[in-house]
Amino acid sequence: MATLEKRVGLPIFTNSPRSGLFTTIRMWFGARGLKPLRLNTCNPLMVIARLANAGTGAALLPREILSFSGAGLDLRVLEADPPVGGHHLCAMWWDAESAGEYAYLA
């Protein structure tokens, strides 16, 4: 179980400020009036995943990244208390020859 009290002192890796993940982490801790002591930002999700996998801290990542992580990444999905809210994805692309590839990525 990932509780605020257990995670507040850990290094936490996330995207830069104003990103959805950064905002969600701040709101998650803020639900109990806490702030993470060590919030480290990095933009590539795979770098964040590898930092967490190396045992250097925790991360809030989309579950789907686990299926794209490749060999050697052994992350666990933890239940959170309080629960972490979901995110929405909006994607747009030109209706062209490569539209099917963009739809697959989205």
Side-chain angles (χ1 to χ4, degrees):
M1 175 73 61
T3 64
L4 294 165
E5 295 76 17
K6 290 180 183 177
R7 303 290 179 251
V8 74
L10 282 177
I12 299 174
F13 301 102
T14 186
N15 292 131
S16 58
R18 296 189 186 153
S19 71
L21 293 175
F22 183 95
T23 302
T24 298
I25 289 170
R26 295 295 299 262
M27 289 174 56
W28 188 61
F29 281 97
R32 297 215 178 118
L34 300 170
K35 286 186 180 180
L37 298 178
R38 296 176 61 195
L39 194 56
N40 304 289
T41 60
C42 175
N43 283 329
L45 291 177
M46 285 309 300
V47 172
I48 293 170
R50 295 207 179 277
L51 287 166
N53 188 71
T56 58
L60 174 64
L61 295 165
R63 286 181 189 242
E64 289 77 15
I65 200 154
L66 298 175
S67 62
F68 296 114
S69 62
L73 204 57
D74 187 29
L75 296 173
R76 294 179 297 137
V77 176
L78 301 175
E79 294 300 319
D81 178 33
V84 176
H87 287 214
H88 298 281
L89 170 69
C90 178
M92 297 174 21
W93 55 87
W94 293 105
D95 187 17
E97 182 178 318
S98 56
E101 294 172 18
Y102 295 127
Y104 173 76
L105 288 173

